[in-house]
Amino acid sequence: IWISPPDSLEDDRVIPKKVVFTADVSSSMEGMRIQQLKAALHEFLKYLRSEDMFNIITFGTRTALFKPDLIAATPDNLEDARAFVTEIGPLGLTNIDDALQKALQQSFSDHYANMIVFITDGYPTLGETFVPAIVENVKKANTKNVRIFSFGVGDDVSKPLLVQMAIENGGYAEFIQDDDDIARIIGNHFKRISKPVLTNLDIKFEGLVTSDRFPRPLADLFWGSQVMQMGIYQNSGTFPVY
């Protein structure tokens, strides 16, 4: 089954976002990667709407927050965020678990499309490093149904962590090769998620017996994209879908 938004959309039908960009700035990001990361962050700021709230978290050996909590995407706050991005530099190890916990502690809430965009180019090397434990920690901390979109840069990255974390939290994982343009790919992602239409989706089939439905949970629906769910049904006939 496919769910598609209308061909046109009024601004008042767009759901405001609460989004935290959580970025790896460990030593392995030095050079071109850190420059492209900064460019990607500037793209992120460009796609924020006045109704949105946001924060930026960087992590290496320590985790640094642009602001203690989510803030409104006002012109002054966006200008301060650009200055924060300009000062970012690579340093230290990769404490993925701490960064995700701090991201999930932000004040996400109902009536918003809540999301984390997570980018790393390596494996966890500090703090909790066992992948199943990190995934379980994220699951326990994600009490506000935050969608997690994860991006892995290069070949030396924990794909099981990024894929499982994204799928279990209603997002998706994408992998970027060294010769790809990080800023362009992540910029396209922000363009894709800039206009949420429906969140917390659940499809019900009255009278139809189904099993093995995937994905669960469903992703949020954004204008210009589609949501698909597959599965198996056991009986035939005409049934209402809602």
Side-chain angles (χ1 to χ4, degrees):
I1 187 166
W2 292 91
I3 303 173
S4 300
D7 292 335
S8 60
L9 188 69
E10 299 296 330
D11 284 345
D12 61 359
R13 298 296 301 275
V14 176
I15 300 171
K17 303 183 293 296
K18 286 189 172 182
V19 54
V20 179
F21 193 116
T22 309
D24 184 347
V25 294
S26 59
S27 297
S28 57
M29 289 289 289
E30 190 170 10
M32 182 58 71
R33 285 182 182 177
I34 202 73
Q35 296 305 318
Q36 291 199 1
L37 171 63
K38 290 183 181 185
L41 279 162
H42 285 300
E43 285 294 306
F44 159 63
L45 297 171
K46 281 168 48 179
Y47 283 107
L48 292 173
R49 299 160 57 88
S50 59
E51 302 86 358
D52 297 335
M53 299 187 72
F54 77 101
N55 205 353
I56 300 169
I57 296 176
T58 62
F59 66 95
T61 299
R62 67 183 185 90
T63 303
L65 283 71
F66 164 56
K67 296 293 183 180
D69 203 352
L70 290 152
I71 58 172
T74 64
D76 286 346
N77 286 338
L78 291 173
E79 188 62 32
D80 289 345
R82 294 185 188 99
F84 176 83
V85 170
T86 300
E87 297 299 319
I88 290 174
L91 181 66
L93 302 175
T94 310
N95 196 337
I96 288 177
D97 187 63
D98 183 61
L100 288 167
Q101 292 303 306
K102 285 186 168 60
L104 288 165
Q105 288 166 8
Q106 300 287 292
S107 57
F108 296 106
S109 59
D110 296 335
H111 310 301
Y112 282 83
N114 299 309
M115 58 189 79
I116 291 171
V117 176
F118 181 83
I119 180 170
T120 182
D121 73 338
Y123 289 82
T125 58
L126 186 66
E128 180 60 70
T129 59
F130 186 48
V131 166
I134 295 174
V135 172
E136 183 62 25
N137 290 344
V138 168
K139 183 178 179 180
K140 289 179 180 177
N142 191 2
T143 60
K144 295 295 184 180
N145 201 23
V146 180
R147 305 307 191 184
I148 299 179
F149 303 93
S150 55
F151 293 82
V153 180
D155 296 325
D156 192 23
V157 67
S158 178
K159 290 185 177 181
L161 168 61
L162 300 185
V163 170
Q164 188 174 356
M165 183 173 66
I167 290 175
E168 291 189 4
N169 293 278
Y172 57 77
E174 190 166 341
F175 297 94
I176 306 170
Q177 299 303 311
D178 280 325
D179 56 353
D180 288 336
D181 187 332
I182 297 172
R184 178 185 58 80
I185 292 171
I186 296 182
N188 288 340
H189 165 75
F190 286 124
K191 184 177 181 180
R192 173 180 173 183
I193 68 170
S194 62
K195 294 183 178 180
V197 179
L198 291 172
T199 60
N200 302 324
L201 288 169
D202 188 24
I203 305 172
K204 292 182 171 59
F205 306 89
E206 188 173 298
L208 183 66
V209 180
T210 65
S211 61
D212 295 334
R213 288 162 62 180
F214 178 84
R216 301 287 292 267
L218 283 167
D220 292 338
L221 179 66
F222 300 94
W223 188 72
S225 63
Q226 296 176 314
V227 169
M228 180 186 70
Q229 188 176 69
M230 300 178 289
I232 297 171
Y233 62 90
Q234 298 178 18
N235 51 331
S236 61
T238 302
F239 306 93
V241 178
Y242 57 95

